[in-house]
């Protein structure tokens, strides 16, 4: 069974450009989460999808970030326009619905804004 | 102050030593996770605990709900155990995880 996959693995963009990160969850996982680790800090929650609906987007830093999960399968996270402080590693995780189901993480996308 | 605190932040030990990494949290939780990330690698779930103790190979995780504290132990440590170990909690009814800052473990041969 394929795990959680993220594309790209690395991205270097200039300040002001747009970047779109993609996450393909494990098939059948209705929960999909985005997290981010910025340099030297702990991993922080961005948002949570249940199927195609945003269940919790309290961690989204500002309106330059837009997440979608059309059809309840893969998800995209777009940053537009990117700023220097957006640099970090973006992780996606997925899990089955239910209480305390195990979350499986992707390899992460390392985003560098220069 | 972070809701989840780990100690130590960095730990270097010799192969074969017994390793303990600690995690304290300040919120009510429904579950606590121990995760592992090797350099350049993704995050792998080691344990999910809501009470007591779990063991998998040389790894043991314990949790004390009353004291809001968990420990991850590694017996007979090996250089391949070198990684960042992360404690994360699921708080109350929320589904999201709240993470500690991680403990970077280096095991020297």
């Amino acid at each position: 069974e394929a795990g959680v996959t993220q594309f790209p693995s690395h991205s270097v963009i200039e300040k002001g450009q747009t970047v779109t990160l993609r996450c393909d969850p494990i098939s059948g996982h209705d929960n999909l989460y985005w997290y981010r680790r910025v340099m030297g800090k702990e991993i922080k929650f961005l948002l949570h999808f249940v199927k195609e609906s945003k269940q919790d987007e309290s961690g989204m830093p500002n309106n330059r970030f837009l997440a979608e999960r059309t059809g309840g399968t893969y998800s995209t996270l777009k940053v537009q326009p990117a700023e220097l402080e957006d640099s970090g590693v973006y992780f996606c995780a997925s899990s089955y619905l239910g209480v305390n189901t195990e979350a499986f993480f992707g390899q992460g996308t390392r985003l560098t804004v220069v | 102050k972070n809701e989840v605190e780990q100690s130590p932040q960095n730990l270097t030990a010799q192969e074969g030593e017994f390793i303990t990494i600690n995690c304290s949290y300040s919120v009510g939780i429904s579950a606590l996770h121990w995760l592992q990330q090797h350099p350049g690698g993704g995050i792998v779930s080691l344990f999910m605990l809501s009470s007591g103790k779990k063991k998998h190979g040389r790894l043991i995780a314990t949790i004390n709900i009353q004291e809001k504290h968990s420990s991850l132990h590694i017996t007979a440590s090996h250089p391949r155990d070198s990684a960042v170990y992360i404690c994360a909690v699921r708080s109350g009814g929320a589904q999201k995880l709240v993470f500690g800052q991680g403990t970077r473990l280096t095991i020297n041969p």
Side-chain angles (χ1 to χ4, degrees):
Chain A
E1 179 183 301
V4 178
T5 51
Q6 292 187 243
F7 305 97
S9 56
H10 294 84
S11 180
V12 180
I13 62 170
E14 292 185 352
K15 176 182 169 180
Q17 289 186 321
T18 297
V19 63
T20 299
L21 314 181
R22 173 170 168 148
C23 169
D24 285 68
I26 291 172
S27 178
H29 282 192
D30 288 331
N31 284 319
L32 187 150
Y33 307 85
W34 283 99
Y35 295 95
R36 175 175 77 167
R37 189 205 316 258
V38 297
M39 181 88 77
K41 300 276 185 86
E42 68 275 10
I43 299 169
K44 290 201 170 174
F45 169 79
L46 295 177
L47 89 159
H48 170 208
F49 283 100
V50 176
K51 299 183 182 178
E52 68 276 8
S53 299
K54 291 176 186 173
Q55 186 77 9
D56 181 355
E57 51 184 327
S58 61
M60 294 288 263
N62 52 61
N63 59 9
R64 295 185 293 102
F65 289 74
L66 175 65
E68 294 181 325
R69 193 183 181 194
T70 307
T73 54
Y74 71 90
S75 174
T76 58
L77 179 65
K78 183 161 71 173
V79 185
Q80 178 184 30
E83 297 289 343
L84 298 179
E85 66 263 25
D86 301 331
S87 296
V89 182
Y90 290 76
F91 291 100
C92 175
S94 71
S95 69
Y96 287 113
L97 287 178
V99 178
N100 287 332
T101 55
E102 184 179 5
F104 293 82
F105 285 80
Q107 295 280 98
T109 294
R110 181 174 294 279
L111 174 65
T112 303
V113 183
V114 297
Chain B
K1 193 175 188 293
N2 199 17
E3 290 176 315
V4 181
E5 293 283 345
Q6 287 184 237
S7 63
Q9 287 193 320
N10 293 282
L11 177 57
T12 300
Q14 291 299 120
E15 183 173 356
E17 287 189 38
F18 181 82
I19 302 299
T20 296
I21 300 170
N22 296 299
C23 175
S24 296
Y25 52 91
S26 57
V27 295
I29 67 167
S30 57
L32 181 143
H33 298 250
W34 282 102
L35 309 163
Q36 178 193 58
Q37 186 178 22
H38 279 104
I43 295 172
V44 174
S45 178
L46 297 175
F47 296 103
M48 183 171 67
L49 294 162
S50 53
S51 65
K53 175 179 170 178
K54 285 190 176 179
K55 184 175 190 291
H56 185 249
R58 295 179 294 105
L59 272 59
I60 303 165
T62 63
I63 188 167
N64 185 319
I65 297 294
Q66 287 74 30
E67 294 186 3
K68 295 187 175 177
H69 180 269
S70 176
S71 293
L72 176 69
H73 305 286
I74 305 174
T75 61
S77 59
H78 190 276
R80 65 176 174 267
D81 298 325
S82 298
V84 176
Y85 292 83
I86 305 166
C87 173
V89 302
R90 190 162 278 149
S91 174
Q95 290 288 315
K96 66 185 180 187
L97 291 174
V98 178
F99 292 79
Q101 72 270 46
T103 295
R104 184 174 299 276
L105 174 66
T106 303
I107 303 296
N108 293 320

